[in-house]
Amino acid sequence: MAETFLTFTLATCVAVIWIGLSFSTYNSISGKSMAFNLNNPTLWLLIGSSLLMTVLFSSIYPAIQLSSFKPIAALKGKSSKPTNSIFRKGLVVFQYVSSIILIICTLVIEKQMKFIREFNLGYDTSYIFTVELNEGAVENKSTVASKLSEDPSIVSYSINGIYNPMDYGSSTGDIDWPNRTKDQSLIVTQATIDKNFIPLMGLKLIEGNNIKGVPADSSSYIINETMAKQLGLEKPYVGAQMSLHEVPGTVIGVVKDFNFSNLKNKIEPLVFWTHRYAGTLYVKTTASNAQKAIERVKTIYDSYPSEKPFEYTFLDSKIDKMYKSDLRTGLLFNIFASIAIFVSSLGLLALATNAAQTKVKEIGIRKVLGASIPQIVQLLGKEFVSLLIIAILIASPLAWYFANEWLANFSFKTELNVWIFLIGASIALVIAGLTISYQAIRAAK
């Protein structure tokens, strides 16, 4: 007991030092700002409780095994082996179940992140950056637009009210349309645009026309397919009457549905109009002219004195930032899966070592009789293969459940294919095979 306590105390000290050294790394990976304060009494209570429980459980098991040992029976040659193999094998199975679940979930997260990166959002984001205009620039939008159109480094531009194309951030239920019943209500996302926005973003008009940048646009609306369906419109959609914030108007165009929110959300009803504040500048440039375009926009921005500093953001980075937490989750799963595999391999190595020790005479006899190293490896490895198969059979449905629960957060998601589970099981089998083979080869020599 004293030896066990000393061993675990030293291990706890090493663990505390390691956590303290790696805490800043964990915060940077997880995006959190947690503090590791040794002056916190709760921390020491947790450390003390963990140490006590670990020592207690690690001491109880050997005590039970030793108390069940019968020396008289051993002297008679009936039995001299404690019956602890089932418990040890159970622990190894549990460790590998945990490892396989983490491996499979990590593969699913990676697959979903790849799906998001390659998913067609329905609009173009390449070489487009945004700038929040200051008050002076907003008041002189016509002058700003004229200067932008003269610059050869700028392919296109738009001054609109959409700060983030993946979070329009403005919804309303103040909408009306003909044939609307009293109990009907609809929450729609509203966005202020100019005539350049739709072509700049590469949005596809499936019916009707874009706004023209003339006063008549004040009574014109462009809606998406989802809104057309929820309004109960029938084709042709163009010409339908509606009002937004008690401003009557006509639907002049319908854009193909595109993702203007996180892929975790379904596509909602959307209406474009020309009313309200428009203070965000979208600029499309090219790879070779990006820096020139940024400098030109900055010059125009600085020509209107403001306390607000010039800042720009590329659309790609805004979209990446939205999924940063999911990317962090994937990285943390990678780390935890690696740790779990390492611990499981240690447990399997210990079990293989124990098996080699109990079969040392049998191995010696087989070697004398001409058994090769592969045959010795097969002798020691066959019982562990069954343990791993059991672990895979238990882990697979659990991993499917956890992965499915996580994917349920996304309206647009990848599929759970069989190959993900096969790869996860194969990784576990390969690592286990290397671990067992290492000990078996040592025993065969």
Side-chain angles (χ1 to χ4, degrees):
M1 181 75 171
E3 183 181 352
T4 302
F5 182 79
L6 179 61
T7 301
F8 280 108
T9 301
L10 290 173
T12 302
C13 292
V14 172
V16 169
I17 294 170
W18 183 39
I19 291 172
L21 294 174
S22 59
F23 214 73
S24 59
T25 305
Y26 170 78
N27 281 336
S28 63
I29 293 173
S30 62
K32 300 184 182 296
S33 56
M34 298 172 63
F36 186 69
N37 185 9
L38 291 176
N39 295 322
N40 187 350
T42 306
L43 177 63
W44 285 108
L45 179 64
L46 181 62
I47 293 172
S49 302
S50 301
L51 176 62
L52 183 63
M53 294 298 290
T54 305
V55 172
L56 187 64
F57 281 113
S58 63
S59 301
I60 288 175
Y61 175 69
I64 294 173
Q65 291 299 321
L66 289 174
S67 64
S68 65
F69 179 68
K70 299 177 181 180
I72 296 176
L75 291 172
K76 292 179 179 180
K78 293 181 179 179
S79 174
S80 61
K81 299 176 184 178
T83 57
N84 58 1
S85 61
I86 295 177
F87 183 77
R88 289 185 179 181
K89 291 176 180 178
L91 283 178
V92 170
V93 169
F94 173 76
Q95 289 172 338
Y96 265 92
V97 165
S98 303
S99 299
I100 294 168
I101 290 174
L102 285 171
I103 291 170
I104 292 173
C105 288
T106 300
L107 292 173
V108 171
I109 292 173
E110 290 293 333
K111 191 168 184 281
Q112 176 63 14
M113 290 300 101
K114 183 181 179 184
F115 173 83
I116 289 173
R117 286 192 297 269
E118 297 176 353
F119 186 79
N120 182 10
L121 297 173
Y123 56 86
D124 183 24
T125 61
S126 58
Y127 306 113
I128 298 176
F129 64 91
T130 66
V131 177
E132 275 291 292
L133 297 176
N134 57 39
E135 194 173 321
V138 173
E139 292 174 354
N140 295 274
K141 285 189 290 187
S142 299
T143 306
V144 171
S146 177
K147 291 178 180 179
L148 291 170
S149 61
E150 294 171 356
D151 196 291
S153 65
I154 296 173
V155 176
S156 183
Y157 67 90
S158 168
I159 300 176
N160 54 71
I162 305 167
Y163 174 69
N164 188 340
M166 290 296 284
D167 183 12
Y168 282 14
S170 180
S171 298
T172 182
D174 189 8
I175 180 174
D176 198 10
W177 64 96
N179 303 320
R180 177 188 177 186
T181 60
K182 291 182 179 180
D183 59 342
Q184 269 187 304
S185 63
L186 184 63
I187 302 297
V188 302
T189 300
Q190 55 187 347
T192 301
I193 64 169
D194 62 4
K195 65 178 182 179
N196 297 331
F197 181 78
I198 288 178
L200 179 143
M201 296 297 293
L203 299 178
K204 184 179 179 182
L205 277 164
I206 61 171
E207 190 177 311
N209 300 299
N210 187 19
I211 58 177
K212 297 179 174 63
V214 295
D217 290 336
S218 61
S219 60
S220 299
Y221 296 107
I222 296 176
I223 62 176
N224 66 350
E225 291 175 288
T226 297
M227 183 164 174
K229 292 173 184 175
Q230 294 198 17
L231 289 178
L233 302 181
E234 295 182 1
K235 291 186 178 182
Y237 303 128
V238 172
Q241 301 297 306
M242 60 170 283
S243 66
L244 190 65
H245 298 296
E246 299 182 353
V247 178
T250 305
V251 174
I252 64 166
V254 179
V255 293
K256 184 177 177 62
D257 277 344
F258 64 96
N259 293 88
F260 56 90
S261 182
N262 196 305
L263 291 182
K264 293 180 179 179
N265 305 322
K266 295 179 180 179
I267 296 176
E268 301 292 341
L270 169 68
V271 56
F272 289 132
W273 66 339
T274 58
H275 290 263
R276 300 280 174 104
Y277 179 80
T280 303
L281 172 65
Y282 280 47
V283 176
K284 183 173 181 62
T285 182
T286 61
S288 58
N289 290 323
Q291 193 57 43
K292 291 180 182 178
I294 292 169
E295 291 172 358
R296 178 55 178 157
V297 172
K298 185 179 185 305
T299 301
I300 297 172
Y301 183 95
D302 291 339
S303 66
Y304 301 96
S306 172
E307 295 180 357
K308 186 178 180 181
F310 173 79
E311 293 179 346
Y312 68 92
T313 308
F314 278 91
L315 292 190
D316 289 336
S317 63
K318 283 188 177 183
I319 294 171
D320 290 341
K321 188 177 181 180
M322 181 175 294
Y323 301 104
K324 201 169 185 179
S325 62
D326 295 304
L327 291 170
R328 284 170 174 162
T329 301
L331 181 56
L332 288 173
F333 261 81
N334 277 324
I335 294 171
F336 292 140
S338 300
I339 294 172
I341 291 169
F342 177 71
V343 172
S344 300
S345 298
L346 288 179
L348 193 60
L349 182 63
L351 199 61
T353 302
N354 179 262
Q357 289 174 348
T358 56
K359 295 182 179 181
V360 64
K361 291 183 180 179
E362 181 181 352
I363 292 171
I365 293 171
R366 286 178 179 272
K367 286 176 67 178
V368 170
L369 294 174
S372 62
I373 291 179
Q375 289 174 325
I376 301 298
V377 172
Q378 183 180 2
L379 172 68
L380 291 175
K382 60 184 179 182
E383 64 176 298
F384 296 112
V385 172
S386 59
L387 295 179
L388 290 172
I389 291 174
I390 292 171
I392 291 169
L393 293 176
I394 295 172
S396 295
L398 291 174
W400 179 87
Y401 172 78
F402 292 131
N404 222 33
E405 285 293 302
W406 183 74
L407 286 174
N409 294 317
F410 295 86
S411 293
F412 300 87
K413 55 195 172 186
T414 187
E415 295 181 354
L416 282 178
N417 297 324
V418 176
W419 68 263
I420 295 178
F421 297 88
L422 293 177
I423 290 176
S426 299
I427 292 172
L429 284 171
V430 168
I431 295 171
L434 292 173
T435 304
I436 296 167
S437 299
Y438 167 75
Q439 183 56 39
I441 291 170
R442 283 187 62 192
K445 292 180 178 180

